[in-house]
């Protein structure tokens, strides 16, 4: 999950937060970038998931700690 992510807090301030709710925007953004590069009708959900998982880091420190064993750092192809 996201750890130490700068996010908006109640009252409009900013603070560091952690958890899966902090990782979700990163994955959603990655999905949007993949779909922008591939075209929204070119990938089904399983293909989109595989494209994201193929582009992420797989640090040994996450083995057994996440459902996929990957971090949210990824290198996605540039949209044409």
């Amino acid at each position: 999950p996201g750890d130490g992510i700068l996010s908006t807090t109640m009252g409009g301030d900013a603070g560091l937060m952690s958890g899966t709710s902090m990782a979700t925007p990163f994955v959603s953004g990655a999905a949007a970038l993949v779909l922008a590069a591939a075209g929204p009708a070119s990938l089904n959900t399983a293909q989109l998931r595989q494209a994201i998982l193929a582009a992420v880091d797989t640090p040994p420190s996450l083995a057994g700690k996440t459902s996929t064993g990957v971090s949210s750092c990824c290198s996605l192809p540039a949209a044409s």
Side-chain angles (χ1 to χ4, degrees):
D3 186 42
I5 305 296
L6 186 62
S7 184
T8 306
T9 61
M10 297 293 280
D13 294 326
L16 295 178
M17 302 182 79
S18 298
T20 55
S21 61
M22 295 293 99
T24 301
F26 284 88
V27 177
S28 299
L33 291 171
V34 169
L35 291 175
S42 62
L43 299 174
N44 64 34
T45 304
Q47 292 167 325
L48 175 59
R49 181 179 189 271
Q50 186 56 42
I52 293 169
L53 290 175
V56 296
D57 295 333
T58 55
S61 62
L62 290 181
K65 294 181 181 176
T66 68
S67 63
T68 59
V70 302
S71 75
S72 61
C73 298
C74 55
S75 301
L76 298 171
S80 52

